[in-house]
Amino acid sequence: GHVVRLHRRKRFHKQRLIQLFRELRRSTAAMPDGVIVLNASREILWFNPAAARLLGLNIATDTGQRLDNLLRHPNFVDYLRAPTGDGIVVASPRHESGWLNVQIIPYGTDQRLAIVRDVTQEKNVERTRRDFVANASHELRSPLTVISGYLQSWSDSLSDSPDTADAGWEAPVREMRYLLHDFLDVGR
């Protein structure tokens, strides 16, 4: 009786483990981010379909390969040796203008989980914002330089003028010159 109970319990736990493993595979297959399990030697043990799509991995040829042999960016290789922070952004090996964020999460006994996320859209938005600010700054520089010159002349005439009617303009003109000077110096 005792051996039969142990056998049933073992079979139950084995079935439960298989069920949990299948559930894990289904849930990671549904994730938009790539998930790669690495051993202590940084070799790929397993990856989900998103990782295959994002990095061009093939289950038959890339399992057992070192991740830094497949993703050869020097900064990534350094990061993989000593992962810190929120990961590293590297050029996509699959799409010429694409960008990927790879974050390494240590777990277990010297194992690592690599999370790969497509950040192409975020990088493009950031580039567009940076270009817009640079272009707007460049376009505003010339007219603001002219205005700054007029304010300088006005300020000089206010300080030379004994007219008390103009005395109330000294502080606002000084503040406008200060603000324009800051803007024109920042863009240089």
Side-chain angles (χ1 to χ4, degrees):
H2 183 65
V3 173
V4 172
R5 276 196 315 270
L6 284 175
H7 183 67
R8 277 189 202 145
R9 191 179 314 158
K10 182 180 174 188
R11 190 171 62 214
F12 170 77
H13 286 296
K14 183 179 177 183
Q15 288 171 343
R16 181 74 179 125
L17 206 57
I18 290 170
Q19 183 181 358
L20 283 171
F21 183 69
R22 285 180 182 151
E23 189 62 34
L24 178 66
R25 284 179 56 184
R26 276 197 297 270
S27 64
T28 56
M31 291 178 66
D33 293 347
V35 178
I36 305 169
V37 177
L38 304 171
N39 65 14
S41 301
R42 300 182 209 108
E43 295 167 342
I44 298 172
L45 299 177
W46 178 87
F47 53 87
N48 71 349
R53 179 178 45 80
L54 291 168
L55 294 172
L57 299 177
N58 181 312
I59 199 86
T61 58
D62 295 329
T63 302
Q65 294 289 325
R66 285 179 48 140
L67 184 58
D68 47 355
N69 287 343
L70 300 173
L71 197 56
R72 295 178 176 265
H73 300 278
N75 292 346
F76 174 73
V77 173
D78 292 341
Y79 169 74
L80 187 58
R81 272 192 219 110
T84 57
D86 294 331
I88 186 167
V89 176
V90 295
S92 170
R94 302 234 22 209
H95 305 288
E96 191 174 304
S97 60
W99 294 93
L100 301 174
N101 176 280
V102 183
Q103 183 176 11
I104 303 296
I105 303 167
Y107 79 97
T109 308
D110 209 19
Q111 290 184 298
R112 292 179 169 91
L113 196 63
I115 308 295
V116 183
R117 190 167 55 93
D118 187 339
V119 292
T120 304
Q121 188 172 358
E122 291 94 329
K123 289 283 281 184
N124 288 342
V125 167
E126 174 60 26
R127 184 182 314 113
T128 301
R129 185 199 65 76
R130 192 175 55 247
D131 290 350
F132 172 77
V133 169
N135 289 337
S137 175
H138 178 75
E139 292 297 324
L140 287 171
R141 185 164 306 288
S142 293
L144 290 178
T145 300
V146 171
I147 292 170
S148 179
Y150 284 128
L151 285 173
Q152 177 67 48
S153 296
W154 192 8
S155 177
D156 292 346
S157 71
L158 287 174
S159 60
D160 293 343
S161 169
D163 189 354
T164 55
D166 290 339
W169 282 101
E170 284 187 43
V173 168
R174 188 171 43 252
E175 186 174 345
M176 286 186 278
R177 287 185 55 223
Y178 176 77
L179 291 172
L180 280 176
H181 177 73
D182 273 3
F183 177 82
L184 293 170
D185 279 349
V186 168
R188 285 188 185 153

